[in-house]
Amino acid sequence: MTDLSNKHLVLGLSGGIACYKAAEFCRALVKQGATVQVVMTEAAAQFITPVTMQALSNRTVFVSQWDAREPNNMAHINLSREADAIIVAPASADFMAKLLHGRADDLLSLMCLARPLDTVPLVLAPAMNREMWAHPATQRNMAQLRADGAHVLGVGQGEQACGETGDGRMLEPEELLQEVVALFQPKVLQGKQVLISAGPTFEAIDPVRGITNLSSGKMGFALARAAHEAGAQVTLVAGPVALPTPNGVQRTDVRSALQMHAAVMAHAPRADLFIATAAVADWRPAQAATEKIKKDGSGHMPTVVWQENPDILAELAASPRAQSGALFCVGFAAESQDLQAQAQAKRLRKGVPLMVGNIGPATFGADENALLLIDPQGSTEWPRASKLSLARQLVADIARRLT
Ligand code: C5P
């Protein structure tokens, strides 16, 4: 099973240079198991040919409402009735203005208007020049389209085809794909604020050295993505890792345990759930040297005085909000052996209702993991699977504990 197995999607293209990205997006949807029916406006066909989209989607493309291929000549009804979702990427400023008024003078707008509102979600991926994006008319139109039930996605920032720089680029194909996959995930954390710590910390010894650990941050990032897919507002406090931010997740980068502590504490008062996946260094040099420490010829390593770092999870779990049940805290235990006993002891020591155990050397850097859930009732083993699928399972499990 892939993320979009058994899903039938209508991919609409309106006119804009971002049509070139729609080709790759179409391919990504097909790769994730979806069947894709492409519908283009005449303006879109000026930017990219229907032949390209036909080859990528493996289906002939619809452009005109007068297309005689459909026996009843009602392509707008037939296409919208069989879809699990309609995604318009790119959605031009003009196309959104048209949708807003319920106008229907071409096949794509006709189909959007004719879609069953309750069962076929409409996703719009805006793409336009930064001035067009910032214009009050566009912003007003998007607010009204949202109120009318459309999922209007955000835009990227950067260089534009017109040579200007700013907001308004269509999201990248991978970001669009994440949004579409999220659309079909159960919204078990809708409206919840989720705070996640992830990755290692780095404790400086001098300006060029420090201690850290092998955590890649992948499990925490997968959980951030899964929590966002489940409808939560997600804040991810990340130590030094080389991972892209999951779409829709608010990320704060930190380096040391003290910085991670400060960032987590700053966000904690609004959180309903804290998942501590970070591998926080237990100790830091009491004082980092201001200059690089040199060999002194004695053959001995210079002595470093170590100071214990604050335990972020234990501190939050003991806070009044956690104790009253307003904040649910989940810990991760990365062990090298005796997982069950170690994780059980750690759950009690940290004072959390749920501790998730995994074998450190088997998970660090890997895309797969196996988990052991420990709560006051006992333990449950989850066999090896991708970190994303375990993260989705864990989010669903935690959501049940929250209600
Ligand atoms: O004590 P240990 O590091 O094994 O505990 C693991 C759990 O505690 C993880 O959830 C980790 O994120 C959290 N932790 C923390 N602050 C620390 C040490 C660990 O939040 N200083």
Side-chain angles (χ1 to χ4, degrees):
M1 285 286 278
T2 43
D3 282 341
L4 295 175
S5 298
N6 308 321
K7 296 287 181 246
H8 179 67
L9 306 172
V10 169
L11 172 59
L13 278 68
S14 61
I17 185 57
C19 280
Y20 83 92
K21 291 194 206 172
E24 199 177 333
F25 175 46
C26 177
R27 193 169 165 77
L29 293 171
V30 171
K31 243 176 145 173
Q32 281 304 319
T35 49
V36 179
Q37 174 61 58
V38 176
V39 177
M40 297 170 74
T41 64
E42 286 189 2
Q46 294 290 325
F47 288 91
I48 184 171
T49 68
V51 173
T52 299
M53 297 309 290
Q54 176 180 351
L56 293 171
S57 64
N58 250 316
R59 284 172 177 243
T60 53
V61 169
F62 282 81
V63 177
S64 164
Q65 70 265 43
W66 312 121
D67 193 317
R69 266 176 293 171
E70 295 291 299
N72 60 357
N73 219 313
M74 293 190 197
H76 62 298
I77 301 292
N78 305 344
L79 298 180
S80 63
R81 295 302 179 274
E82 62 187 22
D84 290 302
I86 299 174
I87 306 144
V88 182
S92 66
D94 178 60
F95 188 74
M96 289 197 293
K98 202 158 146 178
L99 282 190
L100 166 80
H101 289 289
R103 291 191 47 203
D105 62 354
D106 63 18
L107 178 59
L108 187 55
S109 54
L110 189 57
M111 200 189 58
C112 290
L113 190 66
R115 89 185 206 277
L117 265 182
D118 295 335
T119 52
V120 183
L122 173 64
V123 181
L124 303 173
M128 67 201 71
N129 162 269
R130 67 188 173 109
E131 299 291 0
M132 294 166 74
W133 169 256
H135 197 286
T138 304
Q139 293 298 322
R140 194 169 57 232
N141 291 350
M142 289 195 307
Q144 188 57 50
L145 284 166
R146 284 196 176 104
D148 291 348
H151 297 257
V152 185
L153 303 180
V155 289
Q157 201 269 341
E159 255 180 59
Q160 303 200 306
C162 52
E164 297 179 4
T165 301
D167 289 338
R169 288 165 57 102
M170 187 167 79
L171 295 179
E172 296 305 316
E174 175 55 34
E175 295 174 302
L176 293 176
L177 179 67
Q178 280 191 29
E179 291 288 356
V180 174
V181 169
L183 196 68
F184 298 109
Q185 294 298 320
K187 302 297 166 209
V188 291
L189 290 180
Q190 190 68 51
K192 299 282 185 207
Q193 297 272 350
V194 176
L195 178 59
I196 297 174
S197 71
T201 65
F202 179 89
E203 312 298 329
I205 293 173
D206 68 19
V208 296
R209 306 186 186 92
I211 58 162
T212 185
N213 60 64
L214 291 173
S215 168
S216 63
K218 284 184 178 174
M219 192 67 221
F221 275 59
L223 275 161
R225 175 173 170 179
H228 169 69
E229 287 177 347
Q233 301 270 359
V234 185
T235 303
L236 176 63
V237 177
V241 294
L243 293 175
T245 310
N247 212 34
V249 166
Q250 194 205 322
R251 172 175 178 175
T252 301
D253 283 326
V254 296
R255 196 161 89 134
S256 66
L258 286 184
Q259 289 171 350
M260 183 172 278
H261 178 264
V264 168
M265 292 305 158
H267 288 101
R270 289 181 304 282
D272 302 298
L273 167 63
F274 174 51
I275 311 178
T277 67
V280 185
D282 289 331
W283 302 89
R284 67 178 181 279
Q287 187 89 54
T290 51
E291 287 177 18
K292 184 179 172 187
I293 302 169
K294 302 279 185 200
K295 281 185 280 196
D296 62 6
S298 69
H300 297 294
M301 199 172 137
T303 310
V304 175
V305 179
W306 297 97
Q307 189 167 352
E308 196 167 355
N309 275 324
D311 191 315
I312 304 166
L313 177 61
E315 188 178 321
L316 265 188
S319 68
R321 288 192 70 239
Q323 292 294 317
S324 71
L327 171 67
F328 191 87
C329 291
V330 180
F332 264 72
E335 307 294 340
S336 55
Q337 70 276 314
D338 291 339
L339 187 54
Q340 173 103 15
Q342 301 274 4
Q344 246 157 4
K346 198 158 281 181
R347 189 187 78 76
L348 295 172
R349 216 165 45 239
K350 305 261 178 182
V352 292
L354 177 64
M355 180 62 74
V356 183
N358 51 187
I359 294 290
T363 175
F364 283 165
D367 291 322
E368 293 200 330
N369 201 359
L371 300 180
L372 179 70
L373 272 67
I374 311 267
D375 65 12
Q377 280 70 50
S379 64
T380 315
E381 262 183 63
W382 286 356
R384 208 163 175 77
S386 77
K387 285 185 175 171
L388 183 57
S389 92
L390 288 170
R392 286 180 180 146
Q393 250 179 281
L394 189 56
V395 158
D397 184 282
I398 293 171
R400 282 193 292 275
R401 294 168 193 264
L402 290 181
T403 49

